[in-house]
Amino acid sequence: MALLPYSKCSFLFSVIFLFLTLSSMSEAELDAHYYDKTCPQAEKIISDAVHRASTFDPKVPARILRMFFHDCFIRGCDASILLDSTPKNLAEKDGPPNLSVHAFYVIDEAKAKLEKACPHTVSCADIIAIAARDVVALSGGPYWNVLKGRKDGRVSKASETVNLPAPTLNVNQLIQSFAKRGLGVKDMVTLSGGHTLGFSHCSSFQARIQNFSLLHDIDPSLNTEFALDLKKKCPKPNTNFSAGQFLDSTASVFDNDYYRQLLVGKVRLNCKVVN
């Protein structure tokens, strides 16, 4: 599959559209002005919490953006990823793909302040959606009016996180995964641009740089020099569990560099087409 490089304007427009699509993956009737009368200061409270956290921890934007996607992909954008496990139920938060999702404290802080200002009014699902918009804008990406009015989910099952697209999936498998959520190839390609922010641990791409196949030790679709550099950072066995690589060369900036890296074989995650 040949992926054409996005112009920056086209990419940002597509991102806005896709985030609106993600934000609509619930049964609620959404409205950008949903809290105008009941909690007019809601977005400022959330934005302040996001800005404070991002100032102290530059990893927060990538973490919140990932949290939003992982929440929406399972049961729609219902904040079920925030629910804690109980003795009788292992929640999404504790499913294997979500063990590396962090920054829940940012949402908790915003929720606590909102409860003081507007008790029992703003849903956690809306907080995550607004926070995701804010971290994109804070990182140099677009700003858009978030549609609000989501209801918080009451069901959260770790077993359902198996449906999240794994970093080892090839393009064909990713297409199938997104199709089950009503999302097409263009949606998938656009949402993959969210990898412009953040960091990937060695475990996410180890299979591409060690014993890839019977014929190749390294995935031949990877840039050779780039792959050898990854092998140095991620030796096998690897005792440094925090080792890895930024997802693109501008990992704290929301731009289209991820696609440029993809076109020259410098993307860590699997983008191979299987015929």
Side-chain angles (χ1 to χ4, degrees), residues 120-269:
H120 313 300
T121 302
V122 182
S123 69
C124 291
D126 280 338
I127 296 174
I128 297 177
I130 294 168
R133 183 273 314 277
D134 288 341
V135 297
V136 168
L138 189 63
S139 303
Y143 181 95
W144 64 93
N145 288 324
V146 175
L147 301 177
K148 297 171 282 289
R150 295 166 194 76
K151 306 303 178 186
D152 291 336
R154 303 281 180 169
V155 177
S156 183
K157 298 180 179 181
S159 59
E160 294 182 348
T161 61
V162 70
N163 295 313
L164 285 164
T168 54
L169 297 184
N170 60 49
V171 170
N172 304 59
Q173 293 167 328
L174 286 170
I175 290 172
Q176 293 173 10
S177 177
F178 278 75
K180 290 177 182 177
R181 296 293 183 271
L183 298 169
V185 174
K186 186 175 181 179
D187 302 328
M188 180 191 75
V189 172
T190 303
L191 286 169
S192 73
H195 290 118
T196 184
L197 297 180
F199 182 88
S200 180
H201 289 95
C202 294
S203 58
S204 296
F205 54 82
Q206 194 87 50
R208 300 188 71 199
I209 59 173
Q210 303 275 1
N211 302 318
F212 178 71
S213 69
L214 293 175
L215 298 177
H216 303 281
D217 182 46
I218 296 173
D219 183 346
S221 68
L222 282 172
N223 175 282
T224 303
E225 183 179 347
F226 173 70
L228 292 174
D229 182 56
L230 290 180
K231 288 190 76 167
K232 291 179 183 177
K233 293 179 179 178
C234 302
K236 196 173 182 179
N238 183 13
T239 57
N240 182 4
F241 298 110
S242 63
Q245 176 79 11
F246 289 110
L247 287 166
D248 71 15
S249 62
T250 57
S252 63
V253 180
F254 197 90
D255 57 17
N256 59 4
D257 187 62
Y258 172 81
Y259 297 108
R260 295 193 187 100
Q261 299 298 313
L262 174 62
L263 292 170
V264 294
K266 293 186 177 182
V267 167
R268 298 112 194 105
L269 307 181

